[in-house]
C-alpha cells in the first residue's frame, strides 16, 4: 500500500520542425498548417515534463531517483532530438507529422520500456508557453 | 482507437471586478470578501488555459487546430471580457458573483457548444499567479 | 449537485535539508543520494501548491475562502518549515527522510484535519523548477 | 570605496484603472487609448520591483534590510494602491492619467523621502508580462 | 524637462537557424559552434524585448503608444522572422551568422529608422531562458 | 569599432546558509537578520545570471562562447557552491556574512581573473524570485 505519488522531472531541447503531410496537396497542407507548413522549417525551445506515478520506497522515500530519470531522458530522447531537425534527422518522424501531439506519443514510446511496469508514465510537452499537450490524457 | 491526448491553449485578458452578493448586508459582504469587496473595483491580468481532450486525427496529427481554438476563445470569451468590468459590462455576471470559480464556469458554458461533443473540455483560470481554479475538476 | 471545481493556492518557504537514511552505511547513502547527502545540508526555495476540490457555495461563489486557506497553510505548515532545517528543526522528519515525496505526505497530513471532509485535498511541491511531486496522485 | 551594489525587492498589487485625459474629447481619448479608455475600468496584477543602489555595510553585508524595504513599500504604496481603483481611490492620480509611466513616477515620489539620500532608487513596474516601464531610466 | 523613463514591450517569434561561417572549414565550424552547427538546423522560441527611453508626454502620460510599438515590431521584424529559417529565408542574414548577438543588431537596425530620434532604443533577445543578449549595451 | 553588446548566461545552485556576524551578540544578530539568523541554516535555489559586455567578433558573431562561459561558471563557482552549506563548506565565506550582496561580490571575484580584461563583467544573483542583487551596479 502506501502513498501513491506523482513525481515530475522537467527537461528541454531545441529543435527545428515543419508540419507537413506527404499525401496531401501543397494547398491542403498550407490551409491546415499555415505558417507551420513553411518549407524551410522553424523551431522551438521544447520544454518536456516527464511524470511518473507509483508508490515511493518507504525507506529511501524515493519513487524514482530523479538523477536516473534525468539521465534516461537524456539518453533515450534528448540525444536524438536536441539541436536536430525533427523531420530530417529523427527517424521516428519519417512517417509521422511532428505535431506536439505526435512528439509526445513518440517520447512516451521511447521511455516506456525503460520504466518499471508498476510505474505509470505521462508526457507533457510545451511547444511554446501558450501551446502544450499531455499524453496519455487523464492519468 | 488511438492515443487519447490533452491539448492546452493559453490566452489572457485584463478585467476589473468586485466580489459582492446583492442579497447580503454590507457587513456580511465585507466580512467574507474583504478587500475584494471594495466598492470601486480592482482588477487582474487573468490567464486562461483551455484544455481539450480526445483522439488526434491519425493523418494530420492534430486533435484540434490550435489556431481555430485560439480564435474561438477570442470570439466567444475575450471579446466580451478583455478590458471590461466583469460586474458592469458582462451580462453573464448580472446575477453571478465574479469569483474565479464562477468565471471558470461561465467560460466553460460559453465554449462548450462550439467544441465537438466527443472532445472533453476543462477551464483553468489564474486570477493571480498564486490563486487559480479548474472547472470541471478531475478531467 | 452543481459545479465540482478545483481551487489552488500557491505558497512558498525556504528551508535546508539533507537526504540521509540513518540505518544505511555512509557508502549506500552517498551512492543513492549523491550531492543531496552532503553532511552540512543544502537548501531550496520550496513552492507549495495546495489544491482543494469540491462544490462551491452557490451564493458566495467560493469553494473555500482563499484567505482562510492561506492562513491555514501559514499556521500549520509555514510556521514550522520556513527558514528551518527540515532534518534538525522539524520533528515530523525525525524518522522520515525529507525527500520531496515525503515532505508532500507530511504537509498533506498536517492540513487534512483542518479541511472539511467533503473537500478533497492534494499537495504539489516544487523542490526546484525542474523537480516536483504531487500527493496523492490522480485526484 | 567598497562595492557599489544594486538590491531589488519585488512586490505586487491588484488594481483597476482607466486611461483618460479630462481635457480631451471622447473621440481623442478613444483614439489614443483604445480599449484602455473603456468607461467602466479594467485592471491588472501589477508587479513592482524596487531597485536601490549603494554601498553595503561592510560588517552586516546588507545594503538595506529587505524586510524593512518591503514594509516601507507596503506602508507607503500598497496600502494605497492594492485592490483599489487608481482613478477614483488614489488621490495622487486626481490630475494624472494612470499610465504605467505615470504610476512609476508616483511610486518613486512616495518612496524617495523614506530612503537615505546616498542610496539611489529606481522603480520598475510591470502592467502585464509584456508591458513594463522603468523610472528613472538609466540608473 | 520631465521624467526620463524606459518603456519595454515584449514580443516573440519562432524560427529555425544554424550557426555557420561560410569561409571556415567544416572542422572549425564544428569546433566553435558544436551542436549549433548541425546541418539541418534547429530552432528556438525567441523572446524579444524592445526598450525605448525618453520623456513621456506630460498630458497623455505616454512615452510611446505600446500598441503602435507592437505593430511596428510586428511589421518590421516578426513578419520577416516568425516561422522562418533565419539562414535561408531572411536576407539580412545572407552574410551574417545568426548568433543571438547578430540577430539583436539586425533587429535594432530594422527598428531604429522608425522610432523618433530623441528616443533611445535597445534590443534584448532571449534565445533560450538561459542565453540572452542586449544591444547596444549600457543604455 | 563595432557593436558593444551584453551577453547573459543563467545558471543555478542550491545551497544552505545562515546570516550571522560573529562579533555581534545573539540579540543583535536576531534583531537584524530575523529568521535568516536561525541556528540550523535554511536554504535557497539561487539563480545566477552572469553578464559580460564587449565587442563581438565580426566573423563568428560571438562575444564569448556561451558553452565556455557556462563551463567556467561550473568550474569556478558551482563546484564550490552547489549542494553546499555556504557558511561551513565554502572558505570564501569564512569571514564574510553570506548575504546576497556578499555572495555576488565573491562570485565576481572568482570569475573576473578568467575573463579577458577588455570584457566587463556583472553578477546578478536571485536569492528568491522576490529578492535579488547586482554587482557591480550600473554597468
Amino acid at each position: 500500500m502506501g502513498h501513491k505519488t506523482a513525481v515530475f522531472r522537467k527537461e528541454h531541447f531545441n529543435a527545428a520542425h515543419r508540419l507537413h503531410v506527404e499525401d496531401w496537396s501543397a494547398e491542403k497542407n498550407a490551409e491546415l498548417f499555415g505558417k507551420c507548413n513553411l518549407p524551410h522549417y522553424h523551431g522551438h525551445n521544447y520544454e518536456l515534463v516527464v511524470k511518473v506515478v507509483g508508490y515511493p520506497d518507504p525507506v529511501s522515500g524515493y519513487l524514482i531517483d530523479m538523477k536516473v530519470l534525468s539521465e534516461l531522458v537524456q539518453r533515450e530522447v534528448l540525444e536524438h532530438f536536441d539541436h536536430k531537425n525533427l523531420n530530417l534527422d529523427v527517424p521516428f518522424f519519417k512517417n509521422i507529422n511532428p505535431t506536439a501531439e505526435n512528439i509526445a506519443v513518440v517520447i512516451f514510446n521511447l521511455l516506456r520500456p525503460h520504466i518499471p511496469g508498476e510505474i505509470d508514465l505521462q508526457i507533457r510537452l510545451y511547444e511554446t508557453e501558450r501551446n502544450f499537450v499531455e499524453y496519455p490524457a487523464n492519468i
Side-chain angles (χ1 to χ4, degrees), chain A:
Chain A
M1 240 279 300
H3 301 103
K4 196 173 190 183
T5 302
V7 169
F8 303 77
R9 173 69 194 173
K10 188 175 164 191
E11 304 282 351
H12 70 275
F13 59 95
N14 308 315
H17 82 150
R18 175 203 186 196
L19 300 186
H20 186 76
V21 172
E22 278 297 324
D23 293 346
W24 290 0
S25 67
E27 290 70 26
K28 188 169 179 183
N29 272 295
E31 188 188 340
L32 181 57
F33 298 125
K35 289 187 298 183
C36 299
N37 182 243
L38 287 173
H40 292 144
Y41 311 99
H42 60 282
H44 297 292
N45 304 330
Y46 289 94
E47 294 282 348
L48 167 63
V49 180
V50 176
K51 177 185 183 179
V52 288
V53 180
Y55 295 92
D57 180 87
V59 177
S60 72
Y62 266 11
L63 170 59
I64 201 168
D65 184 342
M66 290 225 204
K67 190 160 32 58
V68 171
L69 180 60
S70 176
E71 288 163 359
L72 173 67
V73 176
Q74 177 65 39
R75 192 182 69 231
E76 299 297 327
V77 181
L78 305 189
E79 286 287 324
H80 307 291
F81 286 51
D82 189 34
H83 282 75
K84 297 289 175 62
N85 183 308
L86 299 182
N87 303 66
L88 300 180
D89 298 326
V90 185
F92 311 109
F93 297 104
K94 192 171 169 52
N95 300 303
I96 296 177
N97 196 23
T99 59
E101 291 91 329
N102 279 337
I103 300 172
V105 172
V106 166
I107 292 174
F108 179 89
N109 289 337
L110 287 169
L111 293 177
R112 182 65 271 184
H114 303 281
I115 289 173
E118 70 274 18
I119 292 184
D120 290 329
L121 173 67
Q122 187 189 47
I123 302 303
R124 188 189 303 163
L125 184 73
Y126 291 81
E127 194 173 82
T128 70
E129 192 203 359
R130 299 197 168 271
N131 291 345
F132 54 107
V133 302
E134 284 179 358
Y135 171 77
N138 308 119
I139 88 154

PDB file of all heavy atoms in Angstrom, chain A residues 84-102:
ATOM      1  N   LYS A  84      18.366  19.182 -33.303  1.00  0.00           N
ATOM      2  CA  LYS A  84      18.128  18.437 -34.532  1.00  0.00           C
ATOM      3  C   LYS A  84      16.930  19.019 -35.290  1.00  0.00           C
ATOM      4  O   LYS A  84      16.169  19.826 -34.762  1.00  0.00           O
ATOM      5  CB  LYS A  84      17.828  16.960 -34.202  1.00  0.00           C
ATOM      6  CG  LYS A  84      18.973  16.233 -33.522  1.00  0.00           C
ATOM      7  CD  LYS A  84      20.135  15.964 -34.462  1.00  0.00           C
ATOM      8  CE  LYS A  84      21.320  15.341 -33.723  1.00  0.00           C
ATOM      9  NZ  LYS A  84      21.014  14.041 -33.124  1.00  0.00           N
ATOM     10  N   ASN A  85      16.803  18.553 -36.537  1.00  0.00           N
ATOM     11  CA  ASN A  85      15.615  18.813 -37.345  1.00  0.00           C
ATOM     12  C   ASN A  85      14.738  17.578 -37.223  1.00  0.00           C
ATOM     13  O   ASN A  85      15.119  16.487 -37.689  1.00  0.00           O
ATOM     14  CB  ASN A  85      16.042  19.043 -38.802  1.00  0.00           C
ATOM     15  CG  ASN A  85      14.873  19.387 -39.697  1.00  0.00           C
ATOM     16  OD1 ASN A  85      13.871  18.671 -39.713  1.00  0.00           O
ATOM     17  ND2 ASN A  85      14.995  20.472 -40.456  1.00  0.00           N
ATOM     18  N   LEU A  86      13.577  17.719 -36.595  1.00  0.00           N
ATOM     19  CA  LEU A  86      12.756  16.538 -36.292  1.00  0.00           C
ATOM     20  C   LEU A  86      12.353  15.813 -37.575  1.00  0.00           C
ATOM     21  O   LEU A  86      12.356  14.580 -37.625  1.00  0.00           O
ATOM     22  CB  LEU A  86      11.515  16.931 -35.488  1.00  0.00           C
ATOM     23  CG  LEU A  86      11.793  17.576 -34.118  1.00  0.00           C
ATOM     24  CD1 LEU A  86      10.471  17.881 -33.401  1.00  0.00           C
ATOM     25  CD2 LEU A  86      12.654  16.699 -33.224  1.00  0.00           C
ATOM     26  N   ASN A  87      12.034  16.556 -38.623  1.00  0.00           N
ATOM     27  CA  ASN A  87      11.606  15.922 -39.879  1.00  0.00           C
ATOM     28  C   ASN A  87      12.738  15.160 -40.559  1.00  0.00           C
ATOM     29  O   ASN A  87      12.531  14.068 -41.090  1.00  0.00           O
ATOM     30  CB  ASN A  87      11.082  16.971 -40.877  1.00  0.00           C
ATOM     31  CG  ASN A  87       9.936  17.793 -40.328  1.00  0.00           C
ATOM     32  OD1 ASN A  87      10.117  18.556 -39.395  1.00  0.00           O
ATOM     33  ND2 ASN A  87       8.742  17.620 -40.899  1.00  0.00           N
ATOM     34  N   LEU A  88      13.941  15.748 -40.567  1.00  0.00           N
ATOM     35  CA  LEU A  88      15.036  15.190 -41.355  1.00  0.00           C
ATOM     36  C   LEU A  88      15.967  14.280 -40.567  1.00  0.00           C
ATOM     37  O   LEU A  88      16.551  13.353 -41.122  1.00  0.00           O
ATOM     38  CB  LEU A  88      15.874  16.322 -41.971  1.00  0.00           C
ATOM     39  CG  LEU A  88      15.147  17.279 -42.900  1.00  0.00           C
ATOM     40  CD1 LEU A  88      16.124  18.335 -43.420  1.00  0.00           C
ATOM     41  CD2 LEU A  88      14.518  16.522 -44.073  1.00  0.00           C
ATOM     42  N   ASP A  89      16.144  14.568 -39.271  1.00  0.00           N
ATOM     43  CA  ASP A  89      17.190  13.885 -38.510  1.00  0.00           C
ATOM     44  C   ASP A  89      16.667  12.795 -37.584  1.00  0.00           C
ATOM     45  O   ASP A  89      17.462  11.996 -37.076  1.00  0.00           O
ATOM     46  CB  ASP A  89      17.944  14.895 -37.623  1.00  0.00           C
ATOM     47  CG  ASP A  89      18.653  15.980 -38.424  1.00  0.00           C
ATOM     48  OD1 ASP A  89      19.115  15.667 -39.533  1.00  0.00           O
ATOM     49  OD2 ASP A  89      18.740  17.122 -37.940  1.00  0.00           O
ATOM     50  N   VAL A  90      15.389  12.781 -37.300  1.00  0.00           N
ATOM     51  CA  VAL A  90      14.854  11.874 -36.275  1.00  0.00           C
ATOM     52  C   VAL A  90      13.987  10.825 -36.971  1.00  0.00           C
ATOM     53  O   VAL A  90      12.863  11.119 -37.380  1.00  0.00           O
ATOM     54  CB  VAL A  90      14.045  12.658 -35.221  1.00  0.00           C
ATOM     55  CG1 VAL A  90      13.605  11.719 -34.113  1.00  0.00           C
ATOM     56  CG2 VAL A  90      14.894  13.797 -34.642  1.00  0.00           C
ATOM     57  N   PRO A  91      14.492   9.595 -37.115  1.00  0.00           N
ATOM     58  CA  PRO A  91      13.784   8.580 -37.912  1.00  0.00           C
ATOM     59  C   PRO A  91      12.362   8.296 -37.423  1.00  0.00           C
ATOM     60  O   PRO A  91      11.511   7.902 -38.207  1.00  0.00           O
ATOM     61  CB  PRO A  91      14.655   7.328 -37.760  1.00  0.00           C
ATOM     62  CG  PRO A  91      15.910   7.749 -37.088  1.00  0.00           C
ATOM     63  CD  PRO A  91      15.769   9.128 -36.573  1.00  0.00           C
ATOM     64  N   PHE A  92      12.102   8.521 -36.120  1.00  0.00           N
ATOM     65  CA  PHE A  92      10.751   8.251 -35.604  1.00  0.00           C
ATOM     66  C   PHE A  92       9.689   9.087 -36.314  1.00  0.00           C
ATOM     67  O   PHE A  92       8.507   8.766 -36.255  1.00  0.00           O
ATOM     68  CB  PHE A  92      10.700   8.522 -34.102  1.00  0.00           C
ATOM     69  CG  PHE A  92      11.817   7.888 -33.337  1.00  0.00           C
ATOM     70  CD1 PHE A  92      12.843   8.639 -32.785  1.00  0.00           C
ATOM     71  CD2 PHE A  92      11.863   6.501 -33.194  1.00  0.00           C
ATOM     72  CE1 PHE A  92      13.887   8.047 -32.089  1.00  0.00           C
ATOM     73  CE2 PHE A  92      12.904   5.900 -32.491  1.00  0.00           C
ATOM     74  CZ  PHE A  92      13.923   6.673 -31.942  1.00  0.00           C
ATOM     75  N   PHE A  93      10.091  10.192 -36.930  1.00  0.00           N
ATOM     76  CA  PHE A  93       9.112  11.052 -37.599  1.00  0.00           C
ATOM     77  C   PHE A  93       9.149  10.880 -39.115  1.00  0.00           C
ATOM     78  O   PHE A  93       8.644  11.729 -39.842  1.00  0.00           O
ATOM     79  CB  PHE A  93       9.332  12.524 -37.208  1.00  0.00           C
ATOM     80  CG  PHE A  93       9.135  12.764 -35.747  1.00  0.00           C
ATOM     81  CD1 PHE A  93      10.212  12.949 -34.900  1.00  0.00           C
ATOM     82  CD2 PHE A  93       7.859  12.743 -35.202  1.00  0.00           C
ATOM     83  CE1 PHE A  93      10.029  13.136 -33.551  1.00  0.00           C
ATOM     84  CE2 PHE A  93       7.664  12.924 -33.840  1.00  0.00           C
ATOM     85  CZ  PHE A  93       8.762  13.121 -33.008  1.00  0.00           C
ATOM     86  N   LYS A  94       9.736   9.760 -39.569  1.00  0.00           N
ATOM     87  CA  LYS A  94       9.802   9.545 -41.016  1.00  0.00           C
ATOM     88  C   LYS A  94       8.410   9.526 -41.631  1.00  0.00           C
ATOM     89  O   LYS A  94       8.163  10.124 -42.673  1.00  0.00           O
ATOM     90  CB  LYS A  94      10.527   8.222 -41.308  1.00  0.00           C
ATOM     91  CG  LYS A  94      10.911   8.057 -42.768  1.00  0.00           C
ATOM     92  CD  LYS A  94      11.816   6.843 -42.982  1.00  0.00           C
ATOM     93  CE  LYS A  94      11.973   6.536 -44.462  1.00  0.00           C
ATOM     94  NZ  LYS A  94      12.384   7.703 -45.251  1.00  0.00           N
ATOM     95  N   ASN A  95       7.478   8.851 -40.939  1.00  0.00           N
ATOM     96  CA  ASN A  95       6.115   8.778 -41.461  1.00  0.00           C
ATOM     97  C   ASN A  95       5.090   9.402 -40.526  1.00  0.00           C
ATOM     98  O   ASN A  95       3.897   9.136 -40.622  1.00  0.00           O
ATOM     99  CB  ASN A  95       5.740   7.326 -41.748  1.00  0.00           C
ATOM    100  CG  ASN A  95       6.675   6.709 -42.766  1.00  0.00           C
ATOM    101  OD1 ASN A  95       6.810   7.220 -43.865  1.00  0.00           O
ATOM    102  ND2 ASN A  95       7.355   5.629 -42.373  1.00  0.00           N
ATOM    103  N   ILE A  96       5.561  10.192 -39.599  1.00  0.00           N
ATOM    104  CA  ILE A  96       4.667  10.807 -38.616  1.00  0.00           C
ATOM    105  C   ILE A  96       4.906  12.318 -38.616  1.00  0.00           C
ATOM    106  O   ILE A  96       6.047  12.769 -38.478  1.00  0.00           O
ATOM    107  CB  ILE A  96       4.938  10.227 -37.204  1.00  0.00           C
ATOM    108  CG1 ILE A  96       4.599   8.736 -37.167  1.00  0.00           C
ATOM    109  CG2 ILE A  96       4.124  10.978 -36.161  1.00  0.00           C
ATOM    110  CD1 ILE A  96       4.913   8.077 -35.835  1.00  0.00           C
ATOM    111  N   ASN A  97       3.839  13.073 -38.745  1.00  0.00           N
ATOM    112  CA  ASN A  97       3.919  14.525 -38.756  1.00  0.00           C
ATOM    113  C   ASN A  97       4.300  15.015 -37.354  1.00  0.00           C
ATOM    114  O   ASN A  97       3.639  14.654 -36.385  1.00  0.00           O
ATOM    115  CB  ASN A  97       2.542  15.081 -39.165  1.00  0.00           C
ATOM    116  CG  ASN A  97       2.582  16.526 -39.582  1.00  0.00           C
ATOM    117  OD1 ASN A  97       3.619  17.040 -39.973  1.00  0.00           O
ATOM    118  ND2 ASN A  97       1.426  17.185 -39.502  1.00  0.00           N
ATOM    119  N   PRO A  98       5.369  15.817 -37.210  1.00  0.00           N
ATOM    120  CA  PRO A  98       5.826  16.178 -35.865  1.00  0.00           C
ATOM    121  C   PRO A  98       5.010  17.279 -35.197  1.00  0.00           C
ATOM    122  O   PRO A  98       5.550  18.317 -34.804  1.00  0.00           O
ATOM    123  CB  PRO A  98       7.274  16.598 -36.097  1.00  0.00           C
ATOM    124  CG  PRO A  98       7.311  17.094 -37.500  1.00  0.00           C
ATOM    125  CD  PRO A  98       6.289  16.298 -38.257  1.00  0.00           C
ATOM    126  N   THR A  99       3.689  17.044 -35.061  1.00  0.00           N
ATOM    127  CA  THR A  99       2.866  17.910 -34.211  1.00  0.00           C
ATOM    128  C   THR A  99       3.242  17.647 -32.756  1.00  0.00           C
ATOM    129  O   THR A  99       3.825  16.604 -32.422  1.00  0.00           O
ATOM    130  CB  THR A  99       1.371  17.591 -34.388  1.00  0.00           C
ATOM    131  OG1 THR A  99       1.164  16.212 -34.042  1.00  0.00           O
ATOM    132  CG2 THR A  99       0.908  17.823 -35.813  1.00  0.00           C
ATOM    133  N   ALA A 100       2.873  18.576 -31.894  1.00  0.00           N
ATOM    134  CA  ALA A 100       3.136  18.366 -30.463  1.00  0.00           C
ATOM    135  C   ALA A 100       2.485  17.071 -29.982  1.00  0.00           C
ATOM    136  O   ALA A 100       3.072  16.317 -29.192  1.00  0.00           O
ATOM    137  CB  ALA A 100       2.615  19.561 -29.670  1.00  0.00           C
ATOM    138  N   GLU A 101       1.266  16.800 -30.472  1.00  0.00           N
ATOM    139  CA  GLU A 101       0.566  15.582 -30.080  1.00  0.00           C
ATOM    140  C   GLU A 101       1.410  14.356 -30.432  1.00  0.00           C
ATOM    141  O   GLU A 101       1.581  13.441 -29.605  1.00  0.00           O
ATOM    142  CB  GLU A 101      -0.794  15.473 -30.807  1.00  0.00           C
ATOM    143  CG  GLU A 101      -1.851  16.488 -30.396  1.00  0.00           C
ATOM    144  CD  GLU A 101      -1.823  17.758 -31.234  1.00  0.00           C
ATOM    145  OE1 GLU A 101      -0.733  18.160 -31.699  1.00  0.00           O
ATOM    146  OE2 GLU A 101      -2.910  18.355 -31.408  1.00  0.00           O
ATOM    147  N   ASN A 102       1.932  14.315 -31.658  1.00  0.00           N
ATOM    148  CA  ASN A 102       2.699  13.148 -32.080  1.00  0.00           C
ATOM    149  C   ASN A 102       4.071  13.067 -31.409  1.00  0.00           C
ATOM    150  O   ASN A 102       4.544  11.972 -31.102  1.00  0.00           O
ATOM    151  CB  ASN A 102       2.864  13.157 -33.612  1.00  0.00           C
ATOM    152  CG  ASN A 102       1.635  12.624 -34.321  1.00  0.00           C
ATOM    153  OD1 ASN A 102       0.834  11.870 -33.748  1.00  0.00           O
ATOM    154  ND2 ASN A 102       1.453  13.015 -35.576  1.00  0.00           N
TER     155      ASN A 102
END
